[in-house]
Amino acid sequence: PGMANASEIHHSKSAYTLPQGQTLHNNLVLIGSVSVHIDGDVDGDVLALFSQTVTISGHVTGDVITFGQSLKITGKVDGNVRCFVQELNITGKAARNVMVWANEIDVDPAGSIGRELMTFSNALEDEGSIGGDIQMFTSNAVINGPVGGNIHARCEHLDLGSKAAISGETIYKGRNAAEVDPGAKLASPLQFTQTYKRPDYASGKYYWHLLLSWGAAFVFGLVLVLLMPGVFVDAVRNAER
């Protein structure tokens, strides 16, 4: 599905709920809702802008794009997840890629991401399953679950827990040596490069500028999706070939 399909658009400051057992066969666009609860099924994309909280406990067959305070996925998303939020929590399944700008990111042990996870954050705690690569720009990162691809990390602290199982390379650039639990399984030795006089990944100022720059690009992209949906869909289809 893509934004060129029919869309159901809601402009409201009140709460929006798609009840369990109900299916919407359109893209769903929500602007300014205080809270969003997707308990049913959306046969299309979900675009939630300027919503305080978004919770997806149902099934979304397309992509999820959010700009707000928090996103929680306890259900299933078949497409990609793109979000600019304060907090992201995944206890359900994101079948494809997840790209997130957030203060805190939490992937629960029951949560899974089918392909790649790319993060720009202050803190990442991943105890779930990641099918592809992890690319992270963060201050503190904890990886304590299976990763099907490589890890490329630029951060202040990297902690690989006892349940970490990295199938590819682990490439880490940071100020402090990684903490690797003896029970962690790495397909190849960790490649560590200690950095000096680099951007202060623990600095609030660094993340403020980073989030502003990437957030501006994110919002600009959303505007383009709304104004020129056909171009967006064609680009996605060409990329997937």
Side-chain angles (χ1 to χ4, degrees), residues 83 85-88 100-105 120-123 211:
C83 61
V85 293
Q86 179 73 13
E87 182 178 358
L88 170 66
V100 53
W101 297 262
N103 182 46
E104 296 181 4
I105 302 168
F120 303 86
S121 63
N122 181 51
L211 290 175

Side-chain angles (χ1 to χ4, degrees), residues 79-155:
N80 300 301
V81 176
R82 306 278 189 265
C83 61
F84 186 86
V85 293
Q86 179 73 13
E87 182 178 358
L88 170 66
N89 180 264
I90 299 177
T91 60
K93 180 178 181 180
R96 300 191 70 179
N97 303 299
V98 173
M99 180 181 289
V100 53
W101 297 262
N103 182 46
E104 296 181 4
I105 302 168
D106 181 18
V107 183
D108 189 80
S112 67
I113 296 173
R115 296 187 184 178
E116 179 178 307
L117 170 63
M118 178 177 286
T119 76
F120 303 86
S121 63
N122 181 51
L124 166 65
E125 184 169 0
D126 167 38
E127 297 182 287
S129 173
I130 310 298
D133 296 343
I134 297 180
Q135 298 191 48
M136 67 178 88
F137 298 83
T138 185
S139 177
N140 299 291
V142 176
I143 307 297
N144 197 26
V147 177
N150 304 310
I151 291 180
H152 294 270
R154 285 181 174 268
C155 51

Side-chain angles (χ1 to χ4, degrees), residues 13-93:
K13 294 183 178 180
S14 61
Y16 173 89
T17 299
L18 180 66
Q20 185 178 6
Q22 182 174 332
T23 300
L24 176 65
H25 295 285
N26 285 318
N27 297 316
L28 179 60
V29 179
L30 301 157
I31 302 174
S33 300
V34 174
S35 63
V36 175
H37 293 271
I38 308 297
D39 301 325
D41 298 338
V42 177
D43 186 15
D45 301 330
V46 173
L47 175 60
L49 301 178
F50 312 112
S51 300
Q52 291 186 15
T53 61
V54 177
T55 302
I56 298 176
S57 57
H59 181 199
V60 177
T61 65
D63 295 343
V64 171
I65 302 173
T66 66
F67 184 92
Q69 182 174 334
S70 69
L71 171 62
K72 185 174 184 179
I73 299 175
T74 62
K76 182 180 180 182
V77 177
D78 291 345
N80 300 301
V81 176
R82 306 278 189 265
C83 61
F84 186 86
V85 293
Q86 179 73 13
E87 182 178 358
L88 170 66
N89 180 264
I90 299 177
T91 60
K93 180 178 181 180

